Amino acid sequence: MSKANLSISVNVKSTAEGQKMARAIQTIVNQLTVESLEILAQKSKKPGINMMIKNYQNIL
């Protein structure tokens, strides 16, 4: 498997939040398959998704 450098833009409130988000994104993309990432991307469009993740975090 080879590595790819990807550039993304995100809206953050502070540099610290941006660094935290970058670490979280890096962890996610290193652990999930492309198929799982695509599913996650589709589900992320649902209204209230952040609240759902918080409510069901123990199940995941």
Side-chain angles (χ1 to χ4, degrees):
M1 189 178 301
S2 63
K3 289 189 175 195
N5 290 320
L6 305 173
S7 178
I8 62 168
S9 295
V10 295
N11 295 319
V12 295
K13 297 175 186 170
S14 66
T15 302
E17 184 183 54
Q19 291 171 340
K20 212 172 161 182
M21 186 175 284
R23 283 191 301 273
I25 291 169
Q26 186 70 50
T27 300
I28 291 168
V29 299
N30 284 336
Q31 300 300 319
L32 298 181
T33 64
V34 173
E35 181 182 19
S36 292
L37 286 169
E38 289 175 334
I39 292 167
L40 185 59
Q42 278 298 91
K43 297 296 181 180
S44 73
K45 297 175 186 176
K46 291 180 85 168
I49 189 66
N50 289 313
M51 185 58 72
M52 286 185 206
I53 290 170
K54 285 180 184 178
N55 288 340
Y56 296 106
Q57 67 183 326
N58 294 328
I59 294 173
L60 297 174

